[in-house]
Amino acid sequence: MSRVIAIANEKGGVGKTAMAINLGAALSQENKRVLVVDMDPQHNATIGLGVQVDDETLSVYDLIVETEDVSAGDTIVQTQWENLDLLPSHPDLAGAEVEIIDTPGRERKLAQALAGVEDAYDFVLVDTPPSLSLLTVNVFAYVREVIIPCQMHPYSYAALESLFDTLDIIREGINSDLSVTAIVPTFYDKRTGLSEMIREKLLKDGRYSDFVSQAVIRTNTAVAYSTEAGKPVVFASRRSYGAWDYTRLAEELLAGQ
Ligand SMILES: Nc1ncnc2c1ncn2[C@@H]1O[C@H](COP(=O)(O)OP(=O)(O)O)[C@@H](O)[C@H]1O
Ligand SMILES: [Mg+2]
């Protein structure tokens, strides 16, 4: 069965988009068929996978607002890389919430639109916007697993707590099958000592300890450059720490199956 996973954290700038792109790319290199779904109106994952959008581009916006007329097949595009497809986002997605708020089944628009699509993939990775919005709720209603990039910074703790509370609420009301697969330390920097201190704090905290991944994503400028350049770091800079770390994470995810 395919794995359908949200990359989520209510905080911005913690490495969600970089993870959706690069974990997706690393899994595709392991011969897994991967679909990245970009659910952030800022569409950084779309750009990071080398896809340009304009007013004509059919995106996840059309998919969830025009459910009758637009199908997933109309919107999914192939990237330049084998086994790696993208459902692009568009700035218009920011307005989608207002457009669907009064429609029945508003939390399940994405799940409905993508029903059956996962049969063509081993992994569907969904990048999420940095706030808890109806768009994020649509993602949590659709996926079965959540991977949480957690920046090694003191404020990360508070964000985790609120995300875990949100997931509890989602499980009670909308999606009882939703489980946390991993909390992945990101922006890990062993020189400062702070990163390791926070990682150890997570490992000692009963609420989180079972989920903390062995893989850590180190701070690495190759990652930042590659997202700007529209090419995942595992393809752009194979020998970088970034390529190494996301590949380790992909292997850990595959080993846990
Ligand atoms: N491991 C990393 N090392 C260095 N820079 C990174 C790393 N991961 C992400 N970045 C950069 O940090 C910024 C925020 O990351 P991003 O993935 O966009 O976070 P989010 O999606 O959670 O807002 C981006 O400019 C991105 O290129
Ligand atoms: Mg992002």
Side-chain angles (χ1 to χ4, degrees), residues 12-13 15-18 40 42 44-45 127-130:
K16 289 184 291 296
T17 300
D40 187 346
Q42 289 182 23
N44 295 332
D127 189 23
T128 56

Side-chain angles (χ1 to χ4, degrees), residues 74-109:
D74 299 332
T75 51
I76 292 171
V77 295
Q78 293 183 333
T79 67
Q80 303 151 49
W81 303 280
E82 206 179 337
N83 290 331
L84 189 55
D85 288 357
L86 169 73
L87 174 43
S89 179
H90 190 281
D92 285 351
L93 184 61
E97 254 184 320
V98 183
E99 296 184 53
I100 63 175
I101 196 113
D102 289 327
T103 63
R106 62 189 178 185
E107 296 98 357
R108 295 189 194 279
K109 296 281 177 190

